[in-house]
Amino acid sequence: MSLARIARPLSGASALRRFGNNIATCIPTRAIHATPLSSQITAESSIESTTRTPIEWSSKTADLVSRLREQQKYYATVVIKGRPFTVTQNDIIVMDRIKDLELGDSLALNQVTELGSRDYTIKGQPFVDPSLFRIEATVIEHPDGKQFTITKKKQRTAHQKITYHRNYYTMLRVALIDVNSFEK
């Protein structure tokens, strides 16, 4: 296996213990809340216009995104099948099996709650706008988990039941994390 990190979902109290080793802890409090100007439309104008207009970003947001683009490495918190994964480029994501995918398939991950670098962070409300970034992942393997033996036994009788269980996984490699540039 290469030097890439393996990303697993964070949940519960164990997530708080493991969060200390994660890349997201080295981020200062300079967070960018990217809200497009076109999202602040009144209810009357949104009903009248059925065509999608291009997003007009404020000059402050454009400046902060250009600062983020100047950074060398990015990380993202991606939601896949309802679970958050914090990943960087070339990371491996081990997750529950997705039956529709085959080896070599490429995915565009667009449900991102947080995108950032060492100095700057964009936090979504609840998701970051997909026009700001491009994240691609490739299916590299469909491994089977180890087999568990489950024994159920009744006391003081000869009744005993043995069942077996195996989990199936999908492994994704994050091929690209990029912040898009846009004109003001």
Side-chain angles (χ1 to χ4, degrees), residues 90-107:
N90 294 327
D91 277 358
I92 297 173
I93 302 172
V94 179
M95 55 182 292
D96 293 336
R97 175 74 55 97
I98 301 176
K99 293 181 182 179
D100 299 339
L101 299 178
E102 295 182 12
L103 294 179
D105 284 353
S106 183
L107 302 172

Side-chain angles (χ1 to χ4, degrees), residues 28-106:
T29 56
R30 289 186 275 177
I32 305 167
H33 290 281
T35 308
L37 293 176
S38 63
S39 68
Q40 302 168 357
I41 313 172
T42 62
E44 299 167 0
S45 63
S46 64
I47 293 171
E48 293 172 5
S49 66
T50 57
T51 60
R52 180 174 279 224
T53 59
I55 295 176
E56 298 176 17
W57 296 94
S58 67
S59 60
K60 182 178 177 182
T61 301
D63 180 49
L64 293 173
V65 171
S66 66
R67 286 185 191 176
L68 180 63
R69 277 187 54 79
E70 294 171 359
Q71 302 296 313
Q72 292 180 353
K73 292 186 178 183
Y74 305 113
Y75 79 93
T77 303
V78 182
V79 177
I80 307 172
K81 290 181 71 175
R83 289 186 165 190
F85 296 91
T86 300
V87 296
T88 59
Q89 192 162 345
N90 294 327
D91 277 358
I92 297 173
I93 302 172
V94 179
M95 55 182 292
D96 293 336
R97 175 74 55 97
I98 301 176
K99 293 181 182 179
D100 299 339
L101 299 178
E102 295 182 12
L103 294 179
D105 284 353
S106 183

